[in-house]
Amino acid sequence: LDPRHYLGTHCYGFPKTGPHRLRFLLESVKDLRETLKKKGSTLVVRKGKPEDVVRDLISQLGSVSAVAFHEEVR
């Protein structure tokens, strides 16, 4: 979860994510984790800048051969 997504927008200072959207997001992530757990998998959730978090996860896991990502269209 990138904290930059929850700060003010570039225009007018309105929040990018209000309390209702944030609650929906957190409940969705929780549900996804529970669904994956029932199927014998897991979901890794971290808070921070993706460029830092992904690097740290790769270091922790050690045997990563590929990383895929997408950039949000603005």
Side-chain angles (χ1 to χ4, degrees):
L1 301 173
D2 188 343
R4 296 173 290 193
H5 288 232
Y6 311 104
L7 302 173
T9 62
H10 300 292
C11 300
Y12 310 113
F14 291 111
K16 288 183 180 181
T17 305
H20 301 293
R21 184 175 180 189
L22 180 58
R23 172 184 262 158
F24 175 78
L25 173 66
L26 295 174
E27 289 175 355
S28 298
V29 169
K30 181 181 177 183
D31 183 65
L32 177 58
R33 177 182 271 162
E34 290 171 1
T35 300
L36 289 171
K37 187 175 182 180
K38 289 176 187 174
K39 296 182 180 288
S41 190
T42 189
L43 177 67
V44 176
V45 179
R46 297 287 186 265
K47 176 183 167 192
K49 295 179 181 179
E51 56 270 26
D52 298 330
V53 172
V54 172
R55 182 190 62 233
D56 294 344
L57 279 173
I58 291 170
S59 296
Q60 290 173 8
L61 296 172
S63 62
V64 176
S65 60
V67 176
F69 64 92
H70 78 282
E71 183 175 354
E72 181 178 350
V73 178
R74 297 176 194 251

